């Protein structure tokens, strides 16, 4: 880590996804990916929220992931994608996402960069790329 980043202990990215309905988007992350609702802010309709997954420390499997959800009533423009690393059974997660009614943009594919990936369309039209280490052939 670079000197300035280390000096200030900059760590952890928390993307903010603009969505038309914060509570519905939070519910989607719970149903489709097993996240927990960390908080919802403001009277209904909520104006901001955050979902989280993972636990730090010896009982956890990695650093927590936090995704903020921010209500936007104007037309949403997306272009970025968020990549989430999956520790194992990406094919099982793919099947679960389909069963949960998520918009899945294709089956898992082994990529030349060593990951097996599939893409979900998240609330607000955002793209989530889920990837796991591809099995060795």
């Amino acid at each position: 880590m670079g000197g300035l980043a280390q000096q200030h202990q900059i760590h952890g990215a928390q993307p903010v996804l603009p969505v038309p309905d914060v509570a519905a988007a939070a519910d989607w992350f719970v149903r489709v990916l097993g996240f927990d609702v960390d908080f919802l802010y403001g009277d209904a309709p909520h104006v901001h929220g955050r979902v989280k997954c993972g636990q730090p420390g010896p009982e956890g499997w990695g650093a927590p992931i936090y995704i903020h959800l921010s209500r936007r009533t104007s037309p949403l423009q997306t272009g970025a994608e968020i990549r989430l690393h999956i520790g194992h059974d990406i094919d099982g997660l793919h099947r679960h996402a389909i069963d949960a009614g998520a918009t899945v943009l294709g089956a898992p594919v082994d990529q030349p960069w060593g990951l097996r990936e599939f893409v979900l369309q998240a609330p607000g039209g955002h793209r989530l790329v889920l990837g796991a280490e591809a099995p060795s052939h």
Side-chain angles (χ1 to χ4, degrees):
M1 187 179 331
L4 186 62
Q6 186 174 10
Q7 175 185 345
H8 294 282
Q9 297 181 355
I10 298 173
H11 65 283
Q14 296 189 23
V16 179
L17 301 180
V19 296
D21 184 328
V22 171
D27 179 66
W28 184 91
F29 276 92
V30 169
R31 286 184 306 102
V32 174
L33 296 175
F35 276 59
D36 295 316
V37 175
D38 196 27
F39 66 82
L40 297 173
Y41 174 77
D43 295 330
H46 303 292
V47 295
H48 196 83
R50 186 171 77 179
V51 293
K52 69 177 185 173
C53 177
Q55 296 293 326
E59 70 282 353
W61 57 88
I65 297 169
Y66 296 98
I67 298 176
H68 289 259
L69 307 164
S70 181
R71 186 166 65 95
R72 295 287 191 276
T73 55
S74 60
L76 302 175
Q77 294 183 355
T78 62
E81 58 187 28
I82 296 175
R83 294 182 162 266
L84 301 176
H85 183 77
I86 308 305
H88 66 276
D89 194 16
I90 193 160
D91 293 284
L93 182 57
H94 175 258
R95 286 188 299 275
H96 172 80
I98 291 170
D99 292 345
T103 301
V104 179
L105 305 175
V109 173
D110 290 343
Q111 301 291 0
W113 45 85
L115 296 177
R116 183 165 177 79
E117 299 177 335
F118 74 94
V119 181
L120 293 175
Q121 184 171 326
H126 304 285
R127 293 171 51 98
L128 298 180
V129 180
L130 294 96
E133 299 298 322
S136 300
H137 296 290

